[in-house]
Amino acid sequence: MEIERKFTIKYLPEDLESYPFHQIEQAYLNTAPVVRIRKEDENYYLTYKGKGLLAREEYNLPLNKESYYHLREKADGIIISKRRYLIPLKNPRFIHTAPDVPQNYALTIELDIFEGPLAPLILAEVEFGSKTAAENFLPPDWFDQDVTYDRAYHNATLSRMEI
């Protein structure tokens, strides 16, 4: 189960280049349900995502390079390219402390800087271990609009944009 919130941002962290990152390319074979292929650095995956915005089923299966490029030719829409920075968020803040949110809870902000036709779009995603944690999360000051429930900001929708 993927439980995730998504945000636009006000500004980039000053020390962005000090964080690890992945170079990601992904394409969509289908958007309802979501069937996606992804190249993350030198790793390849086929992903199925169920319905939902905050929480939904997600299954990742490994692919080899040849399979990825074979399926890539069958993709609908644009191929999304982005750099994903992994920014640790130690001791995040929550509206209410819940029993399923441990004291020393740590999260990772996945900051996506889109390239190519989707530039200059930048989005931050945060994955949670529970819906309670996700719903009570207080984002850092540099986050802007919560777009979790806005389908326009989902990668499957972005892949179908007329550029």
Side-chain angles (χ1 to χ4, degrees):
M1 183 67 68
E2 175 187 60
I3 304 168
E4 172 181 270
R5 287 187 55 194
K6 188 176 289 206
F7 301 85
T8 59
I9 64 164
K10 295 176 191 170
Y11 54 87
L12 292 172
E14 288 181 24
D15 56 349
L16 183 62
E17 293 303 321
S18 69
Y19 298 108
F21 66 87
H22 295 291
Q23 195 63 41
I24 295 174
E25 177 185 273
Q26 61 191 42
Y28 289 80
L29 304 174
N30 199 48
T31 56
V34 170
V35 179
R36 173 191 78 200
I37 56 170
R38 173 182 278 175
K39 176 182 186 275
E40 184 176 303
D41 302 324
E42 295 306 315
N43 298 304
Y44 304 88
Y45 304 95
L46 172 74
T47 302
Y48 167 85
K49 291 188 176 199
K51 291 182 180 181
L53 297 171
L54 174 69
R56 60 185 174 167
E57 289 180 285
E58 178 178 279
Y59 302 98
N60 289 303
L61 301 169
L63 287 175
N64 61 31
K65 183 177 183 178
E66 294 75 21
S67 297
Y68 173 81
Y69 283 103
H70 175 76
L71 291 169
R72 186 177 182 262
E73 293 178 16
K74 299 168 182 356
D76 289 335
I78 63 171
I79 294 171
I80 294 174
S81 182
K82 58 189 175 181
R83 179 171 281 195
R84 172 171 283 174
Y85 289 90
L86 305 174
I87 304 170
L89 181 59
K90 297 177 183 172
N91 300 313
R93 298 175 303 138
F94 295 91
I95 298 169
H96 301 289
T97 304
D100 62 346
V101 180
Q103 285 289 69
N104 295 325
Y105 199 65
L107 297 169
T108 300
I109 298 166
E110 296 176 337
L111 183 68
D112 289 342
I113 299 179
F114 289 81
E115 301 166 342
L118 294 176
L121 180 61
I122 301 172
L123 295 173
E125 298 178 353
V126 182
E127 287 195 32
F128 301 88
S130 72
K131 279 185 169 181
T132 304
E135 291 164 346
N136 286 286
F137 175 67
L138 289 170
D141 292 339
W142 56 280
F143 282 26
D144 196 15
Q145 185 181 7
D146 183 345
V147 294
T148 303
Y149 295 101
D150 187 342
R151 290 187 189 278
Y153 289 93
H154 284 250
N155 286 293
T157 304
L158 293 171
S159 75
R160 303 189 80 164
M161 290 182 64
E162 299 281 331
I163 306 291

